[in-house]
Amino acid sequence: MVNFWAVWCKPCRREMPAMNKLNEALEEADFEIVGIHVGPAEPGIDRFLAEVPVDFTILVDEDITLSDWDVLGLPTNLLIDPDGRLIYKAVGERQWDAPEMLDFLKSMMTRTAEGS
């Protein structure tokens, strides 16, 4: 899953703990989150991640062109299958560690693995 976020985005900040729990819950299922901070690498990123540590990769892309990814707002999360195809897109804050969300993502991963 690719997560587009920014330190100044309050919904992005609020969903980070749940995203980290999601990452932990699906670790054995060959699931990985990559967070991409949109915009300048400001000192607030390190401070925020010190307060809200995450176990997934965080990248900073100061020159990103969000239109290339069809990102219209933050946070935006794209679930990409192993072949690089978009299989789910979520714009706006989600409760990523909710049981319903875990079940939904597991079912998406299972369908993708089965080729349907």
Side-chain angles (χ1 to χ4, degrees), residues 14-26:
R14 284 192 304 261
E15 76 175 5
M16 278 293 189
M19 290 191 75
N20 198 53
K21 289 178 185 174
L22 170 69
N23 191 57
E24 291 171 1
L26 295 179

Side-chain angles (χ1 to χ4, degrees), residues 1-5 15 19 22 31-36 64-82 84-92 94 96 104-105 108:
M1 186 164 77
V2 180
N3 165 251
F4 292 94
W5 73 289
E15 76 175 5
M19 290 191 75
L22 170 69
F31 180 84
E32 184 177 351
I33 297 174
V34 175
I36 300 177
I64 193 164
T65 303
L66 292 176
S67 61
D68 290 347
W69 287 85
D70 196 26
V71 173
L72 303 176
L74 297 177
T76 292
N77 294 280
L78 308 175
L79 187 60
I80 311 293
D81 75 6
R85 294 181 302 239
L86 176 66
I87 58 173
Y88 177 70
K89 179 178 182 177
V91 179
R94 300 288 192 277
W96 292 105
F104 171 74
L105 290 172
M108 294 293 290

Side-chain angles (χ1 to χ4, degrees), residues 35-79:
I36 300 177
H37 183 274
V38 176
E42 51 188 80
I45 296 172
D46 292 335
R47 189 169 44 252
F48 172 71
L49 292 174
E51 294 171 12
V52 182
V54 296
D55 297 323
F56 54 88
T57 301
I58 297 289
L59 304 173
V60 176
D61 192 336
E62 295 184 8
D63 302 317
I64 193 164
T65 303
L66 292 176
S67 61
D68 290 347
W69 287 85
D70 196 26
V71 173
L72 303 176
L74 297 177
T76 292
N77 294 280
L78 308 175
L79 187 60

